[in-house]
Amino acid sequence: MRMQSNTIILTCLLLLPVVLGSLEKNETTFVPTREWQTVKKGTPIPAGLHVRHNFESGVTEAKLIDDNNVKEEDSNKSSNSTNTNSVMLHPENTILEEKDHVPAEKSDLFNYSIEELKDRLKKMKQDGEDFPEIDIEHSKKIRQKFRDYEALKKEFKSFEINITVSDSDLLSSYIKKFQAYKNKVTMGILTTTEIERILDILYNLEYLLHHIDNAKVFADMEGMNKIISPCLNGTNNEIKIEALRLLGAAVQSNPKVQLKALENDLVQKLLHILSTSSKSDLKSRCLFALGALIRQFPIAQKVWVDHGGVEIFGQILVDGQLQVQMKVMKLINDLIVERQHIEYITDVAQQELRVKAYSAADIERKLLKYSYCDRLSNLMITSFKIDLTDLLRTNYEFLKTISDSMITAAPICIDKWRKHKDEFLPIIQHILDLHHDLNILIGMLQTLETTHDEL
């Protein structure tokens, strides 16, 4: 029996390194009690505990030794079974020791005394005196190949971009750019590339001048004289059209800029284009700029009248293109309506000022004097003599514009039109019949629907 007990103890001692040798060190502390507790892998345990390890599950347990444990140990020792799955362990030292730290090698500098180090430094200085002198010529060549720091600073400074450019600065910049092409514009000797550059300048200016304050700055910078007038005096229609668009944007509801335009005789220039050009798109753009310049501005209207504006408009009603005729009639309508609205001003003093300002132009009398009423009525009679059904389908807006113009101008022209009432009344009656005939409306809708489907 004693022999068997010794064998079991020896076996436990031999297995102890296998059980505990592979454990990784764990800094947590195992607190033993009188109950079995699982020992986590790598956790050090104090000496003198009752330890057991299950080889099937790999679980190690430990607790304090008490009387029951002694009895249990004795019973285990007296057991003859060789198929037990666990063994009782009593390790005496389970705390893993850290490996000894290997100190770093000491630097060789510490092997020398202070005096020896001083001697070495002196020797280094003496050796340095034998260095060859710098080649001045070679140094100059090197400097010629590379720029010094100050030169680089100046060059990089020139690359700096001012991101706080104001609209005023932009206007000044565009005006300055245009001056390089000013003479070529008036002489008509521009290349295709130069035309594109000028148009780009005008596009950018138009964008800026939609702001009323920018338009004032543009006028103060003599933009009318430096840009718009040269463009209108040139021969390139594309540049003229864009300059007229720019002018219209600048003077729209802006009395200060309108006055600058008058000072630069732009009303006369616009009337000259209307009377001499045969391009409908140029004339249409010219009427846009002229309307923006003279609407709600009696002084400009007087200049327009004094320089033959009514006669030129009347002639357009005789032989002008359809779209241009419509713009002329709409502009005359607006000028007449302006005068009609004066009576609605409640302030008596303000009303008197407006009457005085508009009376200087005396447009109503000029319309009669220069036969505008007659030419408008003739245009209506001529237009309505053709098949109205086809005309309504093809250009209803044109006929509506004539009708509106006749109604608006009636207070001024009615006495003249009474002389031709025998021609007017059948036409007017015919128009009323057409407007009340729903079959025409149905036919128009069907025509539009078919056209839309084809598209």
Side-chain angles (χ1 to χ4, degrees), residues 209-391:
L209 296 194
H210 279 290
H211 194 292
I212 191 169
D213 291 332
N214 289 340
K216 292 177 181 178
V217 174
F218 176 77
D220 291 337
M221 290 180 175
E222 300 298 328
M224 299 292 177
N225 181 51
K226 293 180 178 179
I227 290 185
I228 293 179
S229 290
C231 289
L232 298 183
N233 291 334
T235 58
N236 187 284
N237 287 332
E238 194 174 4
I239 292 177
K240 284 184 180 180
I241 289 173
E242 192 55 39
L244 290 168
R245 194 194 307 271
L246 176 62
L247 175 61
V251 300
Q252 191 97 37
S253 303
N254 199 331
K256 181 179 178 180
V257 184
Q258 288 174 324
L259 194 58
K260 283 285 186 179
L262 287 182
E263 293 174 358
N264 285 273
D265 299 329
L266 290 181
V267 172
Q268 295 91 309
K269 287 183 173 64
L270 298 180
L271 291 174
H272 176 73
I273 293 173
L274 284 174
S275 61
T276 58
S277 176
S278 59
K279 303 292 184 180
S280 61
D281 54 348
L282 179 59
K283 283 188 171 184
S284 295
R285 187 56 57 190
C286 187
L287 285 168
F288 159 74
L290 183 61
L293 179 54
I294 68 176
R295 282 190 180 94
Q296 304 294 333
F297 196 42
I299 299 175
Q301 293 176 17
K302 185 177 186 307
V303 175
W304 169 72
V305 170
D306 292 343
H307 288 84
V310 177
E311 300 98 305
I312 293 173
F313 277 26
Q315 189 60 38
I316 290 174
L317 295 184
V318 175
D319 55 14
Q321 296 94 336
L322 195 68
Q323 293 298 324
V324 180
Q325 289 176 337
M326 290 173 59
K327 288 184 179 294
V328 164
M329 288 185 284
K330 289 178 180 179
L331 180 52
I332 292 292
N333 285 358
D334 292 343
L335 298 180
I336 294 173
V337 170
E338 281 183 31
R339 285 152 176 77
Q340 293 173 349
H341 285 174
I342 293 176
E343 61 181 274
Y344 300 113
I345 299 176
T346 56
D347 189 331
V348 177
Q350 184 67 24
Q351 187 183 52
E352 291 178 354
L353 288 175
R354 298 291 287 178
V355 170
K356 183 178 180 180
Y358 279 104
S359 62
D362 197 12
I363 287 180
E364 295 89 342
R365 191 172 64 84
K366 296 296 174 62
L367 291 175
L368 291 170
K369 180 179 179 180
Y370 296 111
S371 304
Y372 178 82
C373 294
D374 293 333
R375 289 174 177 176
L376 179 61
S377 62
N378 290 336
L379 179 62
M380 182 178 183
I381 293 170
T382 304
S383 300
F384 281 72
K385 277 184 177 179
I386 63 175
D387 188 351
L388 288 180
T389 303
D390 292 337
L391 190 57

Side-chain angles (χ1 to χ4, degrees), residues 47-243:
L49 298 183
H50 200 168
V51 180
R52 67 182 180 185
H53 182 76
N54 191 314
F55 290 98
E56 288 185 356
S57 62
V59 176
T60 301
E61 297 175 302
K63 70 173 184 175
L64 295 172
I65 297 176
D66 53 18
D67 296 336
N68 293 332
N69 292 115
V70 174
K71 292 178 181 180
E72 183 179 351
E73 180 182 356
D74 292 338
S75 64
N76 286 334
K77 288 180 180 180
S78 62
S79 175
N80 293 325
S81 176
T82 59
N83 297 325
T84 56
N85 294 328
S86 64
V87 63
M88 304 305 297
L89 302 177
H90 297 275
E92 295 295 328
N93 187 13
T94 58
I95 301 176
L96 300 177
E97 299 292 339
E98 294 185 359
K99 294 182 179 180
D100 294 337
H101 177 69
V102 180
E105 294 184 0
K106 195 173 182 180
S107 174
D108 292 339
L109 292 176
F110 295 99
N111 296 329
Y112 299 99
S113 64
I114 299 297
E115 296 300 326
E116 288 177 327
L117 291 174
K118 288 181 178 180
D119 291 339
R120 282 175 172 260
L121 289 173
K122 288 180 180 180
K123 189 174 184 304
M124 290 173 63
K125 291 181 179 180
Q126 291 173 358
D127 293 342
E129 293 176 357
D130 298 332
F131 290 161
E133 294 183 359
I134 297 175
D135 189 346
I136 298 176
E137 294 298 328
H138 179 70
S139 177
K140 288 182 179 179
K141 291 180 180 179
I142 295 297
R143 290 183 180 180
Q144 289 175 356
K145 291 182 179 180
F146 301 96
R147 288 164 291 183
D148 60 12
Y149 178 67
E150 293 299 326
L152 287 173
K153 279 173 56 178
K154 291 180 180 179
E155 187 169 340
F156 279 113
K157 189 174 182 180
S158 65
F159 294 152
E160 292 180 359
I161 300 174
N162 185 6
I163 59 175
T164 59
V165 179
S166 64
D167 287 353
S168 178
D169 294 332
L170 289 174
L171 290 172
S172 178
S173 173
Y174 289 132
I175 292 174
K176 185 177 180 180
K177 286 181 180 179
F178 181 84
Q179 299 311 300
Y181 308 103
K182 181 178 178 180
N183 293 332
K184 288 187 176 183
V185 170
T186 55
M187 295 173 65
I189 54 174
L190 293 167
T191 64
T192 303
T193 303
E194 290 172 336
I195 292 173
E196 291 177 355
R197 290 174 182 171
I198 292 171
L199 290 175
D200 184 65
I201 292 172
L202 297 177
Y203 294 150
N204 288 307
L205 284 173
E206 183 199 353
Y207 174 79
L208 291 171
L209 296 194
H210 279 290
H211 194 292
I212 191 169
D213 291 332
N214 289 340
K216 292 177 181 178
V217 174
F218 176 77
D220 291 337
M221 290 180 175
E222 300 298 328
M224 299 292 177
N225 181 51
K226 293 180 178 179
I227 290 185
I228 293 179
S229 290
C231 289
L232 298 183
N233 291 334
T235 58
N236 187 284
N237 287 332
E238 194 174 4
I239 292 177
K240 284 184 180 180
I241 289 173
E242 192 55 39

Side-chain angles (χ1 to χ4, degrees), residues 28-39 43-51 61-66 69 94:
T28 59
T29 303
F30 179 80
V31 180
T33 63
R34 295 193 178 277
E35 300 294 330
W36 287 107
Q37 298 183 72
T38 301
V39 180
T43 303
I45 59 176
L49 298 183
H50 200 168
V51 180
E61 297 175 302
K63 70 173 184 175
L64 295 172
I65 297 176
D66 53 18
N69 292 115
T94 58

